[in-house]
Amino acid sequence: MNDTPPTRADARRALLGASRIAVLSGAGVSAASGVPTFRGPDGLWRNHRAQDLATPDAYRRDPLLVWEWYQMRFHIIAEVEPNAAHVALAELETRTDDFTLVTQNVDGLHERAGSQNLYELHGNLTKSRCEACGYLESLEPDFPLPPHCSRCGARARPNVVWFGEMLPQDAFQAGIDAFGRAEVALIIGTSAVVEPAASLGRLAAREGAFVIEINPEQTPLTPFATVSLRADAVTGMKQLLGDNVL
Ligand code: NAD
Ligand code: ZN
Protein backbone atom coordinates (compact mmCIF):
# COMPACT_ATOMS: atom_id res chain seq x y z
CA MET A 1 0.00 0.00 0.00
CA ASN A 2 1.23 3.42 -0.86
CA ASP A 3 -0.88 6.34 0.28
CA THR A 4 1.43 9.22 -0.56
CA PRO A 5 -0.25 11.66 -2.94
CA PRO A 6 0.93 11.66 -6.56
CA THR A 7 3.77 14.06 -7.21
CA ARG A 8 4.99 16.19 -10.05
CA ALA A 9 7.37 13.35 -10.96
CA ASP A 10 4.38 10.99 -11.24
CA ALA A 11 2.65 13.51 -13.49
CA ARG A 12 5.74 13.73 -15.66
CA ARG A 13 5.98 9.94 -15.95
CA ALA A 14 2.26 9.64 -16.72
CA LEU A 15 2.43 12.28 -19.43
CA LEU A 16 5.58 10.95 -21.10
CA GLY A 17 4.32 7.36 -20.97
CA ALA A 18 0.78 7.97 -22.21
CA SER A 19 -0.32 7.04 -25.71
CA ARG A 20 -3.68 8.82 -25.38
CA ILE A 21 -3.55 12.45 -24.23
CA ALA A 22 -6.28 15.09 -24.21
CA VAL A 23 -5.54 18.74 -23.44
CA LEU A 24 -7.93 21.56 -22.55
CA SER A 25 -6.33 24.98 -22.83
CA GLY A 26 -7.46 28.48 -21.94
CA ALA A 27 -6.40 32.09 -22.05
CA GLY A 28 -3.58 31.56 -19.52
CA VAL A 29 -1.57 29.67 -22.17
CA SER A 30 -1.41 32.82 -24.27
CA ALA A 31 -0.69 35.18 -21.38
CA ALA A 32 3.09 34.85 -21.84
CA SER A 33 2.64 35.89 -25.47
CA GLY A 34 1.09 39.15 -24.29
CA VAL A 35 -2.58 38.30 -24.90
CA PRO A 36 -4.65 39.45 -21.90
CA THR A 37 -6.89 36.92 -20.13
CA PHE A 38 -10.54 37.78 -19.43
CA ARG A 39 -10.51 37.40 -15.70
CA GLY A 40 -7.07 38.79 -15.02
CA PRO A 41 -6.14 42.38 -14.15
CA ASP A 42 -6.24 43.38 -17.85
CA GLY A 43 -9.83 42.18 -18.21
CA LEU A 44 -11.31 45.66 -18.54
CA TRP A 45 -11.54 47.53 -21.83
CA ARG A 46 -12.92 51.09 -21.78
CA ASN A 47 -14.50 50.12 -18.48
CA HIS A 48 -16.37 47.18 -19.98
CA ARG A 49 -15.84 43.74 -18.56
CA ALA A 50 -14.86 41.20 -21.21
CA GLN A 51 -17.59 38.84 -20.01
CA ASP A 52 -20.16 41.55 -20.79
CA LEU A 53 -18.84 42.33 -24.27
CA ALA A 54 -18.60 38.72 -25.48
CA THR A 55 -22.36 38.27 -25.58
CA PRO A 56 -25.11 38.30 -28.24
CA ASP A 57 -26.87 41.00 -26.20
CA ALA A 58 -23.91 43.36 -26.29
CA TYR A 59 -23.63 42.87 -30.06
CA ARG A 60 -27.34 43.52 -30.57
CA ARG A 61 -27.15 46.67 -28.48
CA ASP A 62 -23.95 48.09 -29.93
CA PRO A 63 -22.38 46.08 -32.76
CA LEU A 64 -19.72 48.70 -33.46
CA LEU A 65 -18.54 48.76 -29.86
CA VAL A 66 -18.19 44.97 -29.85
CA TRP A 67 -16.42 45.03 -33.22
CA GLU A 68 -13.99 47.70 -32.00
CA TRP A 69 -13.09 45.45 -29.10
CA TYR A 70 -12.49 42.49 -31.43
CA GLN A 71 -10.47 44.71 -33.75
CA MET A 72 -8.26 45.73 -30.83
CA ARG A 73 -7.77 42.07 -29.89
CA PHE A 74 -7.15 41.19 -33.56
CA HIS A 75 -4.34 43.73 -33.63
CA ILE A 76 -2.78 42.31 -30.47
CA ILE A 77 -2.82 38.83 -31.95
CA ALA A 78 -1.29 39.99 -35.22
CA GLU A 79 1.69 41.34 -33.30
CA VAL A 80 2.44 38.47 -30.92
CA GLU A 81 4.00 35.06 -31.32
CA PRO A 82 3.19 31.64 -29.86
CA ASN A 83 5.20 31.05 -26.67
CA ALA A 84 7.10 28.05 -25.32
CA ALA A 85 3.93 26.49 -23.88
CA HIS A 86 2.18 26.47 -27.28
CA VAL A 87 5.34 25.01 -28.82
CA ALA A 88 5.68 22.35 -26.10
CA LEU A 89 2.09 21.21 -26.71
CA ALA A 90 2.72 20.96 -30.46
CA GLU A 91 5.90 19.02 -29.76
CA LEU A 92 4.13 16.67 -27.33
CA GLU A 93 1.63 15.90 -30.07
CA THR A 94 4.36 14.67 -32.41
CA ARG A 95 5.47 12.05 -29.87
CA THR A 96 1.99 10.85 -28.88
CA ASP A 97 -0.09 8.31 -30.85
CA ASP A 98 -3.46 9.75 -29.95
CA PHE A 99 -3.34 13.43 -29.05
CA THR A 100 -6.18 15.93 -29.01
CA LEU A 101 -5.97 19.61 -28.10
CA VAL A 102 -9.24 21.33 -27.28
CA THR A 103 -8.85 25.05 -26.79
CA GLN A 104 -11.12 27.80 -25.55
CA ASN A 105 -8.74 30.34 -27.04
CA VAL A 106 -9.79 32.32 -30.07
CA ASP A 107 -6.33 33.71 -30.86
CA GLY A 108 -5.14 31.06 -33.33
CA LEU A 109 -1.76 30.72 -31.54
CA HIS A 110 -1.95 26.93 -31.12
CA GLU A 111 -2.34 26.58 -34.87
CA ARG A 112 0.55 28.94 -35.50
CA ALA A 113 2.69 26.85 -33.12
CA GLY A 114 2.00 23.77 -35.24
CA SER A 115 -0.71 21.88 -33.35
CA GLN A 116 -2.56 19.60 -35.75
CA ASN A 117 -5.37 17.71 -34.04
CA LEU A 118 -6.83 20.93 -32.70
CA TYR A 119 -10.42 21.89 -31.90
CA GLU A 120 -11.28 25.53 -31.30
CA LEU A 121 -14.36 25.29 -29.09
CA HIS A 122 -15.02 29.03 -29.11
CA GLY A 123 -14.11 29.85 -32.69
CA ASN A 124 -11.34 32.13 -33.88
CA LEU A 125 -11.26 35.90 -33.92
CA THR A 126 -9.10 36.08 -37.01
CA LYS A 127 -12.21 35.41 -39.09
CA SER A 128 -15.58 37.04 -39.63
CA ARG A 129 -18.81 35.15 -40.25
CA CYS A 130 -21.64 36.50 -42.42
CA GLU A 131 -24.81 37.01 -40.39
CA ALA A 132 -26.96 36.12 -43.43
CA CYS A 133 -25.19 33.31 -45.30
CA GLY A 134 -22.61 32.13 -42.75
CA TYR A 135 -19.63 32.66 -45.07
CA LEU A 136 -16.30 32.73 -43.21
CA GLU A 137 -13.56 35.17 -44.21
CA SER A 138 -10.13 35.90 -42.82
CA LEU A 139 -9.90 39.44 -41.51
CA GLU A 140 -7.21 41.62 -43.02
CA PRO A 141 -5.25 44.26 -41.09
CA ASP A 142 -7.31 47.48 -40.80
CA PHE A 143 -10.51 45.79 -41.84
CA PRO A 144 -13.52 48.16 -42.04
CA LEU A 145 -16.04 48.30 -39.20
CA PRO A 146 -18.32 46.52 -39.36
CA PRO A 147 -17.05 44.12 -42.04
CA HIS A 148 -19.48 42.97 -44.72
CA CYS A 149 -19.71 39.64 -46.47
CA SER A 150 -17.92 39.55 -49.81
CA ARG A 151 -20.45 37.00 -51.09
CA CYS A 152 -23.80 38.53 -50.20
CA GLY A 153 -23.01 41.95 -48.75
CA ALA A 154 -24.71 41.39 -45.39
CA ARG A 155 -23.07 42.44 -42.13
CA ALA A 156 -20.58 39.95 -40.71
CA ARG A 157 -19.93 39.20 -37.04
CA PRO A 158 -16.82 37.89 -35.28
CA ASN A 159 -16.45 34.13 -35.80
CA VAL A 160 -16.44 33.37 -32.11
CA VAL A 161 -18.82 31.68 -29.70
CA TRP A 162 -20.30 34.19 -27.28
CA PHE A 163 -21.46 33.46 -23.74
CA GLY A 164 -24.85 31.79 -23.99
CA GLU A 165 -24.31 30.49 -27.54
CA MET A 166 -24.01 26.86 -28.62
CA LEU A 167 -20.58 25.38 -29.21
CA PRO A 168 -19.76 23.92 -32.62
CA GLN A 169 -21.12 20.44 -32.02
CA ASP A 170 -18.48 18.53 -33.97
CA ALA A 171 -15.68 20.17 -31.99
CA PHE A 172 -17.33 19.56 -28.64
CA GLN A 173 -18.10 15.94 -29.57
CA ALA A 174 -14.45 15.45 -30.52
CA GLY A 175 -13.57 16.78 -27.08
CA ILE A 176 -15.95 14.37 -25.36
CA ASP A 177 -14.48 11.45 -27.29
CA ALA A 178 -10.89 12.49 -26.58
CA PHE A 179 -11.37 13.19 -22.85
CA GLY A 180 -13.46 10.02 -22.49
CA ARG A 181 -10.62 7.80 -23.75
CA ALA A 182 -7.56 9.73 -22.53
CA GLU A 183 -5.04 8.13 -20.18
CA VAL A 184 -3.79 11.59 -19.29
CA ALA A 185 -5.84 14.79 -19.37
CA LEU A 186 -3.98 18.09 -19.12
CA ILE A 187 -5.93 21.19 -18.11
CA ILE A 188 -3.81 24.25 -18.71
CA GLY A 189 -4.37 27.99 -18.22
CA THR A 190 -8.12 27.94 -17.87
CA SER A 191 -10.26 29.35 -15.06
CA ALA A 192 -12.57 26.38 -15.74
CA VAL A 193 -15.66 28.44 -15.08
CA VAL A 194 -16.96 28.40 -18.65
CA GLU A 195 -19.23 25.45 -19.40
CA PRO A 196 -19.50 23.07 -21.06
CA ALA A 197 -15.74 23.28 -21.78
CA ALA A 198 -14.82 22.63 -18.14
CA SER A 199 -17.00 19.51 -18.07
CA LEU A 200 -14.35 17.79 -20.23
CA GLY A 201 -11.98 17.78 -17.25
CA ARG A 202 -14.59 16.20 -14.99
CA LEU A 203 -15.36 13.60 -17.67
CA ALA A 204 -11.72 12.51 -17.85
CA ALA A 205 -11.51 12.29 -14.04
CA ARG A 206 -14.67 10.18 -13.93
CA GLU A 207 -13.23 7.84 -16.57
CA GLY A 208 -10.12 7.31 -14.45
CA ALA A 209 -7.62 9.42 -16.38
CA PHE A 210 -4.55 10.90 -14.69
CA VAL A 211 -5.60 14.56 -14.62
CA ILE A 212 -2.89 17.23 -14.51
CA GLU A 213 -3.73 20.87 -13.98
CA ILE A 214 -1.36 23.75 -14.68
CA ASN A 215 -2.56 27.09 -13.33
CA PRO A 216 -1.07 29.69 -10.96
CA GLU A 217 -4.40 29.67 -9.15
CA GLN A 218 -6.88 27.15 -7.89
CA THR A 219 -9.91 26.48 -10.11
CA PRO A 220 -13.16 24.51 -9.88
CA LEU A 221 -11.30 21.66 -11.63
CA THR A 222 -8.52 21.51 -9.03
CA PRO A 223 -10.42 18.98 -6.85
CA PHE A 224 -10.64 16.68 -9.91
CA ALA A 225 -6.92 16.87 -10.66
CA THR A 226 -4.59 14.02 -9.75
CA VAL A 227 -1.72 16.53 -9.66
CA SER A 228 -2.00 20.32 -9.69
CA LEU A 229 0.99 22.39 -10.68
CA ARG A 230 0.67 25.93 -9.30
CA ALA A 231 2.70 27.40 -12.10
CA ASP A 232 2.37 29.52 -15.20
CA ALA A 233 1.94 27.60 -18.45
CA VAL A 234 5.55 27.83 -19.63
CA THR A 235 7.03 26.81 -16.27
CA GLY A 236 4.49 24.00 -15.86
CA MET A 237 5.21 22.53 -19.30
CA LYS A 238 8.92 22.74 -18.55
CA GLN A 239 8.43 20.90 -15.26
CA LEU A 240 6.55 18.16 -17.08
CA LEU A 241 8.57 17.80 -20.24
CA GLY A 242 11.99 19.01 -19.26
CA ASP A 243 14.24 21.39 -21.13
CA ASN A 244 14.65 19.06 -24.10
CA VAL A 245 11.28 20.17 -25.44
CA LEU A 246 11.55 23.86 -24.75
P1 NAD B 1 -10.02 33.14 -18.22
O1 NAD B 1 -9.58 34.52 -18.55
O2 NAD B 1 -11.33 32.92 -17.60
O3 NAD B 1 -8.96 32.49 -17.19
C1 NAD B 1 -7.59 32.58 -17.37
C2 NAD B 1 -6.94 31.57 -16.47
O4 NAD B 1 -5.56 31.54 -16.77
C3 NAD B 1 -7.06 31.86 -14.98
O5 NAD B 1 -7.44 30.69 -14.31
C4 NAD B 1 -5.64 32.28 -14.57
O6 NAD B 1 -5.33 31.86 -13.26
C5 NAD B 1 -4.82 31.53 -15.58
N1 NAD B 1 -3.54 32.15 -15.90
C6 NAD B 1 -3.18 33.46 -15.87
N2 NAD B 1 -1.93 33.60 -16.28
C7 NAD B 1 -1.46 32.38 -16.59
C8 NAD B 1 -0.23 31.86 -17.07
N3 NAD B 1 0.79 32.67 -17.36
N4 NAD B 1 -0.12 30.53 -17.28
C9 NAD B 1 -1.15 29.69 -17.00
N5 NAD B 1 -2.33 30.12 -16.53
C10 NAD B 1 -2.49 31.44 -16.33
O7 NAD B 1 -9.86 32.30 -19.54
P2 NAD B 1 -10.51 30.92 -20.02
O8 NAD B 1 -10.55 29.96 -18.90
O9 NAD B 1 -9.82 30.57 -21.28
O10 NAD B 1 -12.01 31.19 -20.36
C11 NAD B 1 -12.77 32.17 -20.72
C12 NAD B 1 -13.08 32.59 -22.14
O11 NAD B 1 -12.11 33.52 -22.46
C13 NAD B 1 -13.01 31.60 -23.24
O12 NAD B 1 -14.26 31.47 -23.78
C14 NAD B 1 -12.06 32.21 -24.30
O13 NAD B 1 -12.67 32.18 -25.56
C15 NAD B 1 -11.89 33.60 -23.85
N6 NAD B 1 -10.58 34.25 -24.01
C16 NAD B 1 -9.68 33.86 -24.94
C17 NAD B 1 -8.45 34.49 -25.03
C18 NAD B 1 -7.47 34.04 -26.09
O14 NAD B 1 -7.87 33.51 -27.11
N7 NAD B 1 -6.17 34.20 -25.85
C19 NAD B 1 -8.13 35.53 -24.18
C20 NAD B 1 -9.07 35.90 -23.22
C21 NAD B 1 -10.29 35.24 -23.14
ZN1 ZN C 1 -23.03 36.46 -46.76
Side-chain angles (χ1 to χ4, degrees):
M1 281 289 283
N2 182 356
D3 284 340
T4 52
T7 61
R8 184 202 292 173
D10 295 323
R12 181 179 157 81
R13 256 190 303 277
L15 191 69
L16 294 176
S19 49
R20 296 186 305 280
I21 298 176
V23 181
L24 176 66
S25 74
V29 174
S30 296
S33 293
V35 183
T37 62
F38 273 11
R39 291 174 180 79
D42 304 324
L44 280 187
W45 176 73
R46 294 192 195 160
N47 271 335
H48 298 280
R49 298 188 324 156
Q51 299 96 296
D52 299 334
L53 288 170
T55 67
D57 258 4
Y59 187 64
R60 237 186 327 267
R61 245 189 335 264
D62 197 343
L64 271 182
L65 175 79
V66 172
W67 258 122
E68 279 180 58
W69 181 55
Y70 278 96
Q71 190 172 54
M72 177 277 294
R73 296 173 66 199
F74 177 88
H75 285 137
I76 291 178
I77 283 160
E79 283 166 13
V80 304
E81 297 294 332
N83 63 58
H86 296 107
V87 172
L89 288 167
E91 168 71 21
L92 183 61
E93 175 169 16
T94 65
R95 12 156 130 190
T96 309
D97 290 343
D98 176 349
F99 183 98
T100 305
L101 173 50
V102 177
T103 189
Q104 299 166 87
N105 293 347
V106 293
D107 56 30
L109 291 177
H110 282 305
E111 190 180 347
R112 283 166 58 188
S115 284
Q116 303 274 326
N117 195 29
L118 169 68
Y119 295 91
E120 294 177 316
L121 276 192
H122 295 160
N124 190 312
L125 63 69
T126 63
K127 292 198 170 103
S128 66
R129 182 166 87 234
C130 176
E131 288 176 48
C133 77
Y135 185 55
L136 295 180
E137 293 180 67
S138 291
L139 293 163
E140 302 294 335
D142 296 317
F143 60 87
L145 287 184
H148 286 83
C149 176
S150 58
R151 280 209 173 153
C152 78
R155 192 177 67 186
R157 57 166 278 177
N159 183 38
V160 298
V161 178
W162 284 323
F163 293 113
E165 292 186 318
M166 290 276 291
L167 301 187
Q169 278 314 290
D170 49 343
F172 188 57
Q173 188 58 50
I176 291 174
D177 295 344
F179 279 78
R181 68 174 185 267
E183 295 164 65
V184 173
L186 174 61
I187 316 289
I188 178 166
T190 175
S191 58
V193 295
V194 178
E195 298 290 352
S199 71
L200 294 173
R202 297 192 298 273
L203 167 65
R206 202 161 56 235
E207 295 297 324
F210 194 114
V211 179
I212 305 168
E213 180 179 59
I214 300 177
N215 198 307
E217 289 173 29
Q218 215 173 316
T219 78
L221 282 182
T222 303
F224 296 87
T226 317
V227 170
S228 275
L229 303 182
R230 287 280 156 272
D232 65 81
V234 172
T235 306
M237 289 306 294
K238 211 170 242 177
Q239 288 173 348
L240 289 174
L241 298 183
D243 288 326
N244 49 336
V245 176
L246 293 162

